[in-house]
Amino acid sequence: MVLNSNNRVDHFECLETTIRIQNTHMPLQIHSVLLPPHQTTLQKLKHRISEIFFPDDPFFRFKNQTWFRKLLLGIQFFFPVFQWAPQYNLCFLRSDIVSGLTIASLAIPQGISYAKLANLPPIIGLYSSFVPPLIYSLLGSSRHIGVGPVSIASLVMGSMLSESVSYSQDPILYLKLALTATFFAGVFQASLGILRLGFIIDFLSKATLLGFMAGAAIIVSLQQLKGMLGIAHFTNQMQIVPVLTSVFKQRSEWSWQTIALGLSFLTFMLTTRYISLKKPKLFWVSAAAPLTSVILSTLLVFCLRKKAQEIAIIGHLPKGINPPSSGMLYFNGPYLALAIKTGIVTGILSLTEGIAVGRTFATLYNYQVDGNKEMMAIGLMNMAGSCSSCYVTTGSFSRSAVNVNAGAKTIVSNIIMASAVLVTLLFLMPLFYYTPNVVLAAIIVSAVIGLIDFQAAYKLWKVDKIDFLACLCSFCGVVFISVPLGLGIAVGISIFKILLHVSRPNTVVLGNIPETEIYHNLNQYKEASRIPSFFILAVESPIYFANSTYLQERILRWVREEEERVKANKESTLKYLILDMTAVTAIDTSGIDTLGELKDMLEKRSIQLVLANPVGNVMEKLHKSKVLESFEEKGLYLTVAEAVAAISIP
Amino acid sequence: MVLNSNNRVDHFECLETTIRIQNTHMPLQIHSVLLPPHQTTLQKLKHRISEIFFPDDPFFRFKNQTWFRKLLLGIQFFFPVFQWAPQYNLCFLRSDIVSGLTIASLAIPQGISYAKLANLPPIIGLYSSFVPPLIYSLLGSSRHIGVGPVSIASLVMGSMLSESVSYSQDPILYLKLALTATFFAGVFQASLGILRLGFIIDFLSKATLLGFMAGAAIIVSLQQLKGMLGIAHFTNQMQIVPVLTSVFKQRSEWSWQTIALGLSFLTFMLTTRYISLKKPKLFWVSAAAPLTSVILSTLLVFCLRKKAQEIAIIGHLPKGINPPSSGMLYFNGPYLALAIKTGIVTGILSLTEGIAVGRTFATLYNYQVDGNKEMMAIGLMNMAGSCSSCYVTTGSFSRSAVNVNAGAKTIVSNIIMASAVLVTLLFLMPLFYYTPNVVLAAIIVSAVIGLIDFQAAYKLWKVDKIDFLACLCSFCGVVFISVPLGLGIAVGISIFKILLHVSRPNTVVLGNIPETEIYHNLNQYKEASRIPSFFILAVESPIYFANSTYLQERILRWVREEEERVKANKESTLKYLILDMTAVTAIDTSGIDTLGELKDMLEKRSIQLVLANPVGNVMEKLHKSKVLESFEEKGLYLTVAEAVAAISIP
């Protein structure tokens, strides 16, 4: 009894019959299953596309507005700064200045350290903390992000580039490639945003990222052994084994002064970190720690400069703001592919961190960040950065956290930070001459250790074993194979998980909960009872080419087992198989064929196949493929209850 | 109100309260949502694995049997021949002999032709129609399959090997590689069966296969232009463009006699095919056509052997049965990788055809073939084949169809066919000396043309546009790029389709169907009505890392739009968002976090999030992750109706 919603009403009355189900005590009407209202292919396509690319309906503000208002909104849309600027006031400014200076004190040493992590000259790290924040503050829609270089992206860039080009041998080429990678990272990020393909980064599940981050943290820390031990000749491989071997091979080069200095400052920073974790009020303790250590260590080394020669120091850093570097971009030559690849990988990673940070604090302060706009902002920021001697930057977890704790109200705090960095660049560079590399290493280690999150991993293990497995695999991939491959493994597992779930869906036996029209999982609801001569199955997934064969086999097995059970218990023989299609949210041609075949095979065993509650698009496809017709005669009902009722009418 | 099914009963009574929903007129009890009975991780793992690898519970026959019976069943399990052999009788034999001879008459010319399609000596095709059918008849569980070489696999093997090795230049190496590829195809197929990874071939959806087959058919037919036009120097590329160019470049080599001969026999065979399609009773007309044409053309060329020199003929074929070839397998050297790759691709393709054929006729005659056992059978058959000068074979569509039409009762018909081939090999080979290549080309063309199925493609277009797109892409991939790449594209699209569906699930607004407890899609059921101050959404997919962000955005947009609608119509403001979780068949940690965040964000807008009918494993995970606790207070109900009722108690 299929009818199109147009000629529904008249049919409807005639179908309504009031009867009683054998084991529930409420009157029940039989309703016909309707087809969804007809749509042209074009309408469907339009709807589908808007669902795929514009789920958040970004332009809803523009609807029915005057052209002037539209223009204004447009400007605000592309430059969120104009949204909050009007309401900006002095008290905002005060807190922004405080937080701005706080993150600056963190940003300067971090910048220098992370640049070294990417095998880049330290000054690049400072440059990267100056231009990008300014650009983000114009374009970004998050109010609490702290922009700058981040450890993971720095590490990955360093590792991927060092595989083919060594900084020590050809610094210029290496720098060129780093800037070009940054440019492509920006292009990639911006285009993801413009093409609204943001969902691509969703395929890095939190679980796999957790493992990836932890693995990266370990790799990074191992790399720091070079600085911590003061080893001059160090492997440029990344994996745990070669690094450790080279560490112990070079035991002769270990410098005890360096080790002592490093360990003491590391303990200092870890303690401050611990304090801030215990007392969030004292966040500034850990925020200020890196700068303090830099100052102290620099002074120390300055005083001991005669005695402690072998403590490696940063040395001369050029004064002045970012030199333009658009001329250094490398667009043809043997390494272009490498630059693009590095750009895309670092782009994805930094984007993931940036978006996550933005979303986290947006949820915390109850405003929404538009993922795609964020991508454009971060992308443009990196493109501009690549033209002003900056490498990949994004919203950094550590900075943003400090920023928020320091009471940042708007993105202005980033402008303040940038200005502080500017002052440093213009006047304070010589002060870093005696800063020992070991303290930078210590800063990195203390920063990345925070990325290893045992609680989260334990929670994964408790809640979802497969997620835990994914996490573990990406961890091992990073630690034992290589960083990009680890990432690849992470994504691969995530996708494999989906495919497995799709190709092996659940089928659940339903029973009636006494005195109700509710049919539920017999296994979950012990009071639910089977109904004689009926067998009710719920298929818990779309029926696809990927699972249609499996479902057919599985359902036939259910039927076989049910028949055996019935025979064993001498119950009335099986006459009807009701498939509850509520969770079958889609079907394709293979699925439709499977349903048809199933119906035939069951009929040969004199069992009738009945469909309960197929959703709109499934109905439509069954109708178009003419399979529906074979179900019209007592084969199609709105709910399981109605099916049972209607069929068991004497 | 969560409680574990153990301490259920006592709670249950106290929870049952009888009240009325504002807009339905039936008493209603509120039931608590239960957790599924507790299982240890090991139990879950065991269950999951059995669901993944043993959906059909292959060993159910062995349950509680005597050891002797078990042994017997075991033998029958591995050698299905022992299942039907006892019941075998004379009348079976009669029909098997008829059908066996019929397919033999088809198999002999087909074998020779397909071998040429794979650039192999024609005799290999006959060898391949002798040993493999015998082995399959011992191990195979299908009763109607006709075993032998198939066009697609032959084509793919030919194209993949020819890319690196040319038969004309190094026939021995080429033959070695072909046999080795066959061996690896067998190993791959068998291991898929043993490891019960059969579902891998399910990822070739029918839609994409349709396109692939059609494309391959065109490529094959184009290849035959060499034979049909009698061109001696022909490109060994496969794509449409180079083939056509080389055809017209070599216009000088066209031999009009060849063309005339070819066209006449092609028309003959196409006509017979048409007749058999119109009148299935006359199937034997098309079945006998190839042999007839071979005989006729051979006689013709024999008579004209003086005048028609330039009609290329097969020439001398060695007498005698399959020589052993295990010595020719090629296990080390530069081409090993190629052999393995070719083996896997041809293995998958032949497997797909074989399994499909088996399933089709099993459904037709209402018995079941065990996919994984079939894979083992086909795999072993190919491994054995590779040691007896056979190349890749499987259950062939054309032969099986003829076999069934000719009234085959059991797999014995294959044994008959094999014996007929044996006789040919021993005594009749000289007769093929004058057989012209052109007639073989004609046989191939008339065979593969059947693979182009316009009706099916049109049906795809009508029923499922995305399936049609997938079909089209794999078609173009094969025709314009390359056969293996076309296959890759086909699989890629199929997987992309799944991922897209998973990452952009539907969300549907539900309304109450008056006078019932049924809540349904407002868009599909016009009489369904919204309930004041409630907003009811059904999420039609598992909530995964891949779609959690999307769902959050989408749901928040739904809420925003609903609030606007309510304001516009001056209805009572929105207080509750009910999520119908029936179709949310799984959730992972990202999904759980999303639910939590969503709850918080909605509460900030003073809207309460309510979950209706979460399924077992979702309940479990929500419980383990402690998120459930936040829903216990009026946030969790068994059905939407109960949620609405319970919440709207005054």
Side-chain angles (χ1 to χ4, degrees):
Chain A
M1 31 189 176
V2 188
L3 21 107
N4 199 315
S5 51
N6 314 336
N7 57 358
R8 187 185 48 64
V9 183
D10 39 337
H11 284 61
F12 213 78
E13 275 65 35
C14 72
L15 282 165
E16 291 190 349
T17 54
T18 306
I19 49 139
R20 309 190 149 283
I21 319 186
Q22 54 219 48
N23 60 351
T24 81
H25 302 302
M26 41 192 94
L28 181 105
Q29 303 152 334
I30 304 304
H31 299 86
S32 54
V33 184
L34 302 185
L35 283 167
H38 178 72
Q39 277 187 315
T40 65
T41 314
L42 200 68
Q43 288 169 317
K44 278 198 207 114
L45 188 70
K46 200 153 154 273
H47 174 74
R48 196 87 190 90
I49 286 179
S50 78
E51 283 297 310
I52 291 174
F53 295 108
F54 303 97
D56 52 347
D57 185 19
F59 304 113
F60 70 96
R61 284 190 198 75
F62 294 86
K63 278 169 196 151
N64 44 51
Q65 301 280 1
T66 65
W67 69 267
F68 175 73
R69 191 98 186 74
K70 276 201 177 116
L71 179 71
L72 209 69
L73 285 169
I75 297 172
Q76 289 191 345
F77 181 79
F78 287 108
F79 302 98
V81 53
F82 292 108
Q83 280 173 34
W84 50 264
Q87 293 90 37
Y88 199 74
N89 60 35
L90 254 169
C91 106
F92 276 11
L93 183 62
R94 204 180 312 108
S95 34
D96 281 339
I97 290 178
V98 176
S99 50
L101 293 175
T102 324
I103 43 175
S105 72
L106 177 67
I108 294 163
Q110 254 194 7
I112 300 177
S113 326
Y114 288 163
K116 286 192 79 65
L117 188 54
N119 303 329
L120 286 164
I123 189 75
I124 298 288
L126 285 182
Y127 291 153
S128 309
S129 308
F130 172 51
V131 173
L134 292 176
I135 292 169
Y136 182 85
S137 56
L138 282 178
L139 304 172
S141 55
S142 160
R143 301 193 210 123
H144 299 91
I145 269 185
V147 174
V150 293
S151 52
I152 299 291
S154 313
L155 163 76
V156 172
M157 177 175 278
S159 68
M160 287 181 76
L161 292 182
S162 307
E163 274 168 16
S164 344
V165 182
S166 132
Y167 177 72
S168 48
Q169 279 156 29
D170 190 345
I172 300 301
L173 176 63
Y174 189 92
L175 187 57
K176 277 184 171 177
L177 289 181
L179 292 170
T180 317
T182 308
F183 176 78
F184 282 114
V187 172
F188 178 69
Q189 295 167 327
S191 41
L192 275 192
I194 292 160
L195 303 175
R196 307 191 60 85
L197 296 175
F199 65 85
I200 284 179
I201 67 167
D202 292 345
F203 280 104
L204 276 176
S205 72
K206 284 180 189 171
T208 46
L209 269 177
L210 191 69
F212 178 78
M213 293 256 186
I218 286 176
I219 296 290
V220 173
S221 317
L222 285 175
Q223 286 292 309
Q224 300 321 306
L225 287 175
K226 178 175 192 272
M228 297 288 284
L229 304 173
I231 297 173
H233 308 86
F234 200 68
T235 172
N236 47 19
Q237 283 179 280
M238 283 281 166
Q239 295 83 320
I240 192 158
V241 184
V243 167
L244 284 181
T245 41
S246 105
V247 162
F248 289 103
K249 273 232 186 66
Q250 313 294 344
R251 215 186 279 94
S252 55
E253 293 186 359
W254 292 14
S255 125
W256 299 112
Q257 291 146 313
T258 317
I259 295 172
L261 197 64
L263 283 183
S264 49
F265 279 108
L266 184 58
T267 1
F268 167 62
M269 277 182 283
L270 289 179
T271 337
T272 57
R273 202 166 148 277
Y274 181 77
I275 293 168
S276 309
L277 280 179
K278 286 279 154 231
K279 292 207 186 1
K281 279 220 151 321
L282 302 178
F283 69 92
W284 54 267
V285 175
S286 66
L291 191 59
T292 328
S293 346
V294 167
I295 295 168
L296 287 179
S297 61
T298 313
L299 285 175
L300 198 70
V301 175
F302 178 73
C303 307
L304 304 172
R305 66 188 174 287
K306 297 272 163 295
K307 300 183 196 57
Q309 294 295 359
E310 75 253 26
I311 296 182
I313 57 174
I314 293 185
H316 173 69
L317 290 176
K319 258 190 193 179
I321 63 165
N322 305 25
S325 63
S326 47
M328 291 186 76
L329 295 183
Y330 175 102
F331 287 135
N332 45 22
Y335 295 110
L336 184 58
L338 173 69
I340 294 176
K341 201 172 123 220
T342 315
I344 290 177
V345 174
T346 49
I348 290 183
L349 284 172
S350 51
L351 207 54
T352 323
E353 179 163 355
I355 300 289
V357 175
R359 286 224 177 92
T360 315
F361 292 112
T363 331
L364 209 65
Y365 291 88
N366 192 32
Y367 62 93
Q368 253 184 302
V369 293
D370 173 340
N372 291 296
K373 257 164 67 188
E374 279 294 283
M375 292 182 194
M376 284 190 247
I378 295 178
L380 292 171
M381 163 174 105
N382 279 322
M383 285 160 76
S386 67
C387 303
S388 56
S389 314
C390 308
Y391 78 110
V392 177
T393 53
T394 183
S396 129
F397 264 114
S398 49
R399 286 187 198 194
S400 311
V402 172
N403 193 22
V404 171
N405 285 322
K409 289 275 171 296
T410 70
I411 205 73
V412 169
S413 61
N414 275 283
I415 303 179
I416 307 292
M417 174 189 78
S419 346
V421 173
L422 173 64
V423 173
T424 324
L425 282 170
L426 290 177
F427 311 111
L428 310 182
M429 293 322 286
L431 300 184
F432 291 107
Y433 185 87
Y434 281 107
T435 309
N437 290 332
V438 59
V439 78
L440 301 183
I443 290 173
I444 294 178
V445 173
S446 66
V448 294
I449 279 194
L451 296 177
I452 307 177
D453 188 345
F454 289 109
Q455 279 88 346
Y458 176 67
K459 194 181 167 200
L460 283 186
W461 166 257
K462 254 184 62 231
V463 177
D464 190 332
K465 301 282 184 290
I466 302 181
D467 271 4
F468 180 77
L469 187 72
C471 168
L472 201 64
C473 291
S474 59
F475 174 80
C476 297
V478 173
V479 171
F480 295 106
I481 306 171
S482 91
V483 175
L485 209 67
L487 198 65
I489 292 173
V491 177
I493 292 168
S494 309
I495 289 179
F496 177 75
K497 194 182 144 195
I498 296 181
L499 293 185
L500 190 66
H501 186 272
V502 168
S503 59
R504 289 292 185 259
N506 284 346
T507 43
V508 174
V509 185
L510 303 187
N512 176 251
I513 294 181
E515 311 290 313
T516 69
E517 295 184 2
I518 305 170
Y519 284 78
H520 253 305
N521 187 343
L522 274 176
N523 172 27
Q524 188 179 358
Y525 294 87
K526 289 280 166 288
E527 80 274 21
S529 62
R530 296 164 188 265
I531 297 180
S533 83
F534 284 90
F535 186 57
I536 305 166
L537 269 181
V539 177
E540 289 195 339
S541 118
I543 304 181
Y544 271 139
F545 65 91
N547 59 24
S548 51
T549 333
Y550 167 80
L551 277 174
Q552 197 179 23
E553 278 186 356
R554 193 67 187 83
I555 292 175
L556 288 174
R557 175 182 162 195
W558 274 121
V559 171
R560 192 187 69 223
E561 290 173 344
E562 174 69 3
E563 283 177 325
E564 285 165 4
R565 194 190 62 76
V566 166
K567 201 181 292 140
N569 307 3
K570 309 215 174 4
E571 294 173 13
S572 56
T573 58
L574 191 57
K575 284 203 202 64
Y576 302 94
L577 169 62
I578 301 182
L579 282 190
D580 180 353
M581 306 274 286
T582 316
V584 179
T585 52
I587 195 163
D588 73 352
T589 43
S590 318
I592 293 171
D593 297 348
T594 305
L595 273 188
E597 286 169 15
L598 197 61
K599 190 174 179 17
D600 300 342
M601 295 172 93
L602 287 174
E603 266 163 10
K604 292 207 179 86
R605 305 185 183 193
S606 65
I607 296 172
Q608 193 194 342
L609 180 63
V610 178
L611 302 183
N613 185 28
V615 300
N617 66 62
V618 172
M619 275 297 285
E620 212 172 357
K621 285 187 179 161
L622 289 175
H623 176 63
K624 280 186 183 160
S625 63
K626 305 269 178 294
V627 172
L628 202 51
E629 290 159 8
S630 64
F631 285 97
E632 287 182 7
E633 188 52 43
K634 282 206 165 205
L636 189 67
Y637 296 92
L638 189 57
T639 66
V640 174
E642 292 194 355
V644 172
I647 293 172
S648 32
I649 305 172
Chain B
M1 33 191 181
V2 187
L3 21 107
N4 200 315
S5 50
N6 315 336
N7 58 359
R8 189 183 45 65
V9 184
D10 40 336
H11 284 61
F12 213 75
E13 275 64 37
C14 73
L15 282 165
E16 291 189 350
T17 56
T18 304
I19 49 142
R20 309 191 150 280
I21 318 184
Q22 53 220 50
N23 59 352
T24 83
H25 303 300
M26 39 191 93
L28 182 105
Q29 305 155 331
I30 305 304
H31 300 86
S32 53
V33 184
L34 303 184
L35 285 168
H38 178 72
Q39 277 186 314
T40 65
T41 314
L42 200 68
Q43 286 167 319
K44 280 200 207 107
L45 188 70
K46 200 152 153 272
H47 173 74
R48 195 91 189 86
I49 285 180
S50 77
E51 282 298 310
I52 291 176
F53 296 108
F54 303 97
D56 51 348
D57 186 18
F59 302 115
F60 71 95
R61 282 191 200 77
F62 294 86
K63 278 169 196 152
N64 43 53
Q65 301 281 2
T66 65
W67 69 267
F68 174 72
R69 190 102 187 73
K70 277 204 177 113
L71 180 70
L72 210 68
L73 286 169
I75 296 171
Q76 290 191 343
F77 182 79
F78 287 108
F79 303 97
V81 58
F82 292 106
Q83 280 173 35
W84 51 262
Q87 292 93 36
Y88 199 73
N89 59 34
L90 253 171
C91 106
F92 276 11
L93 183 61
R94 204 181 311 106
S95 34
D96 281 338
I97 290 177
V98 174
S99 49
L101 292 176
T102 323
I103 45 175
S105 74
L106 178 66
I108 293 161
Q110 254 193 8
I112 300 176
S113 325
Y114 288 162
K116 287 194 76 66
L117 188 54
N119 303 329
L120 288 164
I123 190 76
I124 298 287
L126 286 182
Y127 291 154
S128 309
S129 308
F130 172 53
V131 173
L134 292 177
I135 293 170
Y136 183 85
S137 55
L138 281 180
L139 305 171
S141 55
S142 161
R143 294 188 216 130
H144 298 90
I145 271 187
V147 175
V150 292
S151 52
I152 298 290
S154 312
L155 163 75
V156 172
M157 176 173 277
S159 69
M160 288 182 76
L161 292 183
S162 307
E163 274 167 16
S164 341
V165 183
S166 135
Y167 178 71
S168 48
Q169 280 158 29
D170 190 344
I172 300 303
L173 175 63
Y174 189 92
L175 188 55
K176 278 184 170 178
L177 289 181
L179 291 170
T180 318
T182 308
F183 177 77
F184 282 115
V187 172
F188 178 68
Q189 295 167 327
S191 42
L192 276 192
I194 292 159
L195 304 175
R196 307 191 63 83
L197 296 175
F199 64 87
I200 284 178
I201 67 165
D202 292 344
F203 281 103
L204 277 176
S205 73
K206 283 179 189 170
T208 46
L209 269 177
L210 191 70
F212 178 79
M213 293 258 188
I218 286 177
I219 295 290
V220 174
S221 316
L222 285 174
Q223 286 291 311
Q224 300 321 308
L225 286 174
K226 178 173 190 274
M228 296 288 285
L229 304 173
I231 299 175
H233 307 87
F234 200 68
T235 172
N236 48 18
Q237 283 180 280
M238 283 282 167
Q239 295 83 327
I240 191 160
V241 184
V243 167
L244 284 181
T245 42
S246 104
V247 162
F248 288 104
K249 273 232 188 66
Q250 314 293 344
R251 214 185 280 95
S252 54
E253 295 186 0
W254 292 13
S255 122
W256 300 111
Q257 290 142 313
T258 316
I259 296 174
L261 198 63
L263 283 183
S264 47
F265 280 109
L266 184 58
T267 0
F268 167 63
M269 275 183 284
L270 289 179
T271 337
T272 55
R273 205 169 144 271
Y274 181 78
I275 294 168
S276 308
L277 280 179
K278 286 282 153 226
K279 293 212 186 354
K281 280 219 151 322
L282 302 177
F283 69 90
W284 53 267
V285 175
S286 66
L291 192 59
T292 327
S293 343
V294 166
I295 295 168
L296 287 179
S297 59
T298 313
L299 286 174
L300 199 71
V301 175
F302 178 73
C303 307
L304 303 171
R305 64 187 176 289
K306 298 270 164 293
K307 300 180 194 60
Q309 293 297 356
E310 74 252 25
I311 297 181
I313 56 175
I314 294 184
H316 172 71
L317 292 177
K319 260 189 189 181
I321 65 163
N322 305 21
S325 63
S326 48
M328 291 186 75
L329 296 183
Y330 175 103
F331 287 135
N332 45 21
Y335 294 110
L336 183 60
L338 173 68
I340 294 176
K341 202 171 122 220
T342 314
I344 290 178
V345 174
T346 48
I348 290 183
L349 285 172
S350 51
L351 207 54
T352 323
E353 181 164 353
I355 301 290
V357 174
R359 285 221 178 94
T360 315
F361 293 110
T363 331
L364 208 63
Y365 290 88
N366 193 28
Y367 62 92
Q368 254 185 301
V369 293
D370 174 341
N372 290 296
K373 255 164 66 187
E374 279 296 283
M375 292 181 191
M376 283 189 245
I378 295 177
L380 291 173
M381 161 176 107
N382 278 320
M383 285 160 77
S386 67
C387 303
S388 56
S389 314
C390 308
Y391 77 110
V392 177
T393 52
T394 183
S396 131
F397 264 114
S398 48
R399 287 187 197 194
S400 312
V402 171
N403 192 24
V404 171
N405 284 321
K409 288 276 170 294
T410 70
I411 206 70
V412 169
S413 64
N414 275 282
I415 303 180
I416 306 294
M417 174 188 80
S419 346
V421 173
L422 175 63
V423 173
T424 322
L425 282 170
L426 290 178
F427 310 110
L428 310 181
M429 293 322 287
L431 299 183
F432 291 105
Y433 185 87
Y434 281 106
T435 308
N437 289 331
V438 59
V439 78
L440 302 181
I443 290 172
I444 293 177
V445 173
S446 65
V448 295
I449 279 193
L451 296 176
I452 306 176
D453 187 345
F454 289 108
Q455 278 86 347
Y458 175 69
K459 191 178 169 201
L460 282 185
W461 165 258
K462 254 184 62 234
V463 176
D464 190 331
K465 299 282 181 293
I466 302 181
D467 271 2
F468 180 77
L469 187 72
C471 169
L472 201 65
C473 291
S474 59
F475 174 79
C476 298
V478 174
V479 172
F480 294 108
I481 305 170
S482 91
V483 175
L485 209 67
L487 198 65
I489 292 174
V491 177
I493 292 169
S494 309
I495 289 178
F496 177 76
K497 193 182 146 195
I498 296 179
L499 294 183
L500 190 65
H501 186 270
V502 167
S503 60
R504 289 290 184 263
N506 283 347
T507 42
V508 174
V509 186
L510 302 186
N512 176 251
I513 294 180
E515 312 289 314
T516 72
E517 293 183 2
I518 304 169
Y519 285 78
H520 254 304
N521 187 344
L522 274 177
N523 173 28
Q524 190 178 355
Y525 294 86
K526 288 281 166 289
E527 78 273 21
S529 62
R530 295 163 187 267
I531 297 178
S533 81
F534 284 91
F535 185 56
I536 305 164
L537 270 181
V539 177
E540 290 198 335
S541 119
I543 304 181
Y544 270 140
F545 64 91
N547 60 24
S548 52
T549 333
Y550 167 80
L551 278 174
Q552 197 179 25
E553 279 186 354
R554 193 66 188 84
I555 291 174
L556 288 174
R557 174 181 162 196
W558 274 120
V559 171
R560 194 187 68 223
E561 289 172 344
E562 174 70 3
E563 283 177 327
E564 284 164 4
R565 194 190 62 78
V566 165
K567 203 181 286 137
N569 308 1
K570 310 216 173 7
E571 295 173 11
S572 58
T573 58
L574 189 58
K575 288 204 198 65
Y576 302 94
L577 169 62
I578 302 182
L579 283 190
D580 180 352
M581 307 273 285
T582 315
V584 179
T585 52
I587 195 164
D588 72 352
T589 44
S590 317
I592 293 170
D593 298 348
T594 304
L595 273 187
E597 287 170 14
L598 197 62
K599 191 176 183 5
D600 301 342
M601 294 172 96
L602 288 173
E603 266 164 8
K604 292 205 178 87
R605 304 184 183 193
S606 65
I607 297 173
Q608 195 195 340
L609 180 64
V610 178
L611 303 183
N613 184 27
V615 302
N617 66 62
V618 172
M619 274 298 283
E620 211 172 357
K621 284 186 181 162
L622 289 175
H623 175 64
K624 279 184 184 160
S625 63
K626 305 265 175 296
V627 173
L628 204 51
E629 291 160 6
S630 64
F631 285 96
E632 286 181 10
E633 188 52 44
K634 284 207 160 203
L636 188 68
Y637 295 94
L638 189 57
T639 66
V640 174
E642 292 193 353
V644 173
I647 293 171
S648 32
I649 304 172

